[in-house]
Amino acid sequence: MNLSVGIVGLPNVGKSTLFNALLKKQAADVASYPFCTIEPNVGIIEVPDERLPVLAAIAGTEKIVPAVVEFYDIAGLVKGASQGEGLGNKFLAHIREVALIIHVIRLFEDENVAHVTQKINPKDDIQIIETELMLADLATLEKQKELKGKVTKEEQSFYDTVQLLKNHLAKGLAAHSLTFSPEQKAAIAQLNLLTLKPVINVFNISEQQLEHFPETEKRINEISESVSGNAPYLSFCAKMENEIVSLSPEEQVEYLAQYHLQETGLNRLIKKAYATLNLISYLTAGVKEVRAWTVTKGTLAPQAAGVIHSDFETHFIRADVVPYEIFVKAGGWINAREQGRVQTVGRDYEMKDGDVVEFKVGV
C-alpha cells in the first residue's frame, strides 16, 4: 500500500515551497500571489529507511526498493471554498482521494509574501480551513437521498449515519469527533468525508523563529491546544528545507546542527504521518532486491503477504521471520537459520516494524 497525503492550507502559506523541499527539486511553481498552483502537483517520495542499504549489502544486491509516499500539492483554499470561492470545490475533490491531510499553517512573517487576509493569524487560518472542510462535508451529506419504500438493513444504517453526521456537523463539529460503530464506519466509507480524514498541522516558521525555537514552540503549543484539540502537529521551516536540497548529506547534517535539528523535515514529517496512520514497514531481503512494504500495525501475516501479491494471501502457508537487528547481527538468512534465530509463523502472526520476512505460499 502507498501512503497518499494532501498538502492543504490558505494561499501563500508555503505549501508549494514545502512540496518542493519534499521532492528535493523545484517540482511546483512557487509565487508570492494566490492560486499559483492550478492543478494538484503530485510527487512520489521515497521513505528514508537506513535499514535498506544495510540489508542490500548483506543480501549482495544493488536493487533497493523503498516504501513511498504520494504527496499532492493542492491549490490554496479560501473562505467560501465550499461554495465555489477561489478555486472552490474542484480542489476539495482532490483532497477526498488522500488518506491523510497535511494542513500547512503560516507562522512566518514576510512583507514580500502577501497573506490572503492581510494579517498573520494562525488561529483564524486553521478555523477557516476546518470550517470549509465541514461545509463541504455537509454539502455531500445533503445530497444523499431520503429512503423510500422497502429498504435493506445496510441502507437504513447508511441513512441513519448520514442524519447523525448532518446534525453533528451543523453544530460546527468535525466528523472525526464522533464515535462510530464498525457498522457505521463501513456504511459511510463510500462518502470519503473530508473531516473524517486524519490531519497533521504543519506550522511553517521562519529561520529567525527557528533560531528562537523555545518561544516559537510555546506559541505553537498554545495555538494547537486552542483550536485543534488532539491533532498531531510539527514545525517546519519550508524555506530552509528547500535551501538544503542542494547540499550533500554531510553538509545537511552540519547545516541542521546550527538549529539544533538532527534530521530533515522530510524525515520528521514521514515519521509523523506513519505514526498518525498507524503504519509500519516490514522488509524483504534477497539477491533480487531489498524492499520495504507498508502495512497497518496489527496486520496478520497472510494479509501482509497479500501486499506483495493478492495470490500470496490466498495461498499463504507460513512465513519465516527475523527481527532486523538479529538478521543484521547474524549476517543473513543462512546464518540466522543455522543459529536458530528464524521464527516460523502461521496465519495468526501479527507483523512488526522491521521484521525481515520470507513468505511460503502454495503457488
Side-chain angles (χ1 to χ4, degrees):
M1 61 182 291
N2 291 341
L3 170 59
S4 59
V5 174
I7 305 174
V8 304
L10 293 172
N12 293 346
V13 297
K15 299 183 309 302
S16 293
T17 304
L18 169 58
F19 183 76
N20 290 338
L22 291 168
L23 285 183
K24 295 184 170 63
K25 62 181 180 179
Q26 295 297 317
D29 278 337
V30 179
S32 60
Y33 52 86
F35 311 126
C36 66
T37 305
I38 304 302
E39 292 293 339
N41 294 279
V42 183
I44 308 298
I45 317 298
E46 294 183 355
V47 177
D49 193 332
E50 65 278 2
R51 298 172 298 193
L52 298 180
V54 177
L55 291 179
I58 292 172
T61 182
E62 294 183 357
K63 185 175 182 181
I64 296 175
V65 184
V68 297
V69 178
E70 296 176 351
F71 279 96
Y72 293 75
D73 176 27
I74 297 167
L77 300 173
V78 295
K79 190 173 183 178
S82 57
Q83 280 78 46
E85 289 296 323
L87 294 170
N89 288 323
K90 176 180 180 182
F91 293 97
L92 291 174
H94 292 309
I95 307 172
R96 294 191 188 282
E97 304 306 315
V98 303
L100 172 71
I101 294 174
I102 291 176
H103 181 183
V104 180
I105 301 148
R106 178 173 173 176
L107 218 64
F108 70 89
E109 300 275 357
D110 189 337
E111 61 183 18
N112 296 315
V113 180
H115 190 285
V116 71
T117 64
Q118 307 305 315
K119 61 180 179 179
I120 307 299
N121 191 326
K123 291 183 182 180
D124 284 354
D125 293 356
I126 291 171
Q127 289 170 343
I128 287 172
I129 298 298
E130 289 182 346
T131 297
E132 290 308 315
L133 298 184
M134 283 190 278
L135 289 172
D137 279 350
L138 264 175
T140 296
L141 294 168
E142 293 289 350
K143 293 176 183 177
Q144 307 312 308
K145 296 178 181 179
E146 291 189 19
L147 297 179
K148 293 182 180 180
K150 189 176 182 179
V151 298
T152 65
K153 180 181 178 181
E154 290 75 17
E155 289 171 334
Q156 188 65 55
S157 176
F158 174 76
Y159 180 79
D160 291 343
T161 307
V162 165
Q163 301 312 306
L164 176 67
L165 278 162
K166 282 168 65 175
N167 293 332
H168 190 72
L169 287 164
K171 297 175 184 175
L173 301 170
H176 62 69
S177 62
L178 264 176
T179 300
F180 297 95
S181 68
E183 293 75 21
Q184 288 174 320
K185 278 187 178 180
I188 59 167
Q190 60 182 293
L191 297 180
N192 257 341
L193 295 178
L194 301 172
T195 62
L196 269 180
K197 296 181 183 296
V199 177
I200 298 175
N201 287 331
V202 174
F203 291 88
N204 190 8
I205 63 177
S206 66
E207 289 170 305
Q208 184 178 12
Q209 288 169 322
L210 192 56
E211 289 173 356
H212 301 89
F213 190 68
E215 296 93 334
T216 304
E217 185 177 37
K218 182 179 178 182
R219 184 183 176 195
I220 290 172
N221 290 340
E222 290 172 351
I223 295 168
S224 298
E225 290 173 4
S226 66
V227 296
S228 297
N230 295 320
Y233 62 91
L234 54 82
S235 60
F236 197 112
C237 181
K239 182 175 181 291
M240 184 197 74
E241 295 285 342
N242 213 37
E243 289 174 348
I244 66 174
V245 167
S246 60
L247 302 180
S248 69
E250 294 77 17
E251 290 171 329
Q252 288 186 20
V253 170
E254 185 177 341
Y255 192 104
L256 291 169
Q258 299 176 40
Y259 299 99
H260 307 289
L261 296 172
Q262 295 181 336
E263 57 185 344
T264 65
L266 168 61
N267 288 6
R268 290 187 289 117
L269 187 55
I270 289 180
K271 287 178 181 178
K272 182 75 75 172
Y274 266 56
T276 301
L277 290 175
N278 215 21
L279 299 177
I280 62 171
S281 292
Y282 74 82
L283 313 167
T284 54
V287 176
K288 183 178 179 181
E289 68 177 25
V290 163
R291 187 163 184 157
W293 304 87
T294 302
V295 295
T296 305
K297 184 182 285 188
T299 297
L300 299 181
Q303 288 71 52
V307 173
I308 298 176
H309 194 288
S310 58
D311 286 348
F312 284 17
E313 179 178 355
T314 304
H315 301 284
F316 176 88
I317 298 174
R318 65 182 186 275
D320 287 347
V321 179
V322 188
Y324 167 78
E325 293 80 6
I326 294 175
F327 187 90
V328 172
K329 188 175 181 179
W333 282 111
I334 294 175
N335 290 340
R337 288 191 170 96
E338 289 178 351
Q339 296 170 16
R341 307 308 299 269
V342 178
Q343 181 183 7
T344 299
V345 302
R347 294 181 170 275
D348 59 349
Y349 179 76
E350 187 176 300
M351 302 300 297
K352 298 176 181 62
D353 187 62
D355 276 349
V356 184
V357 188
E358 276 190 356
F359 292 107
K360 308 298 181 183
V361 295
V363 290

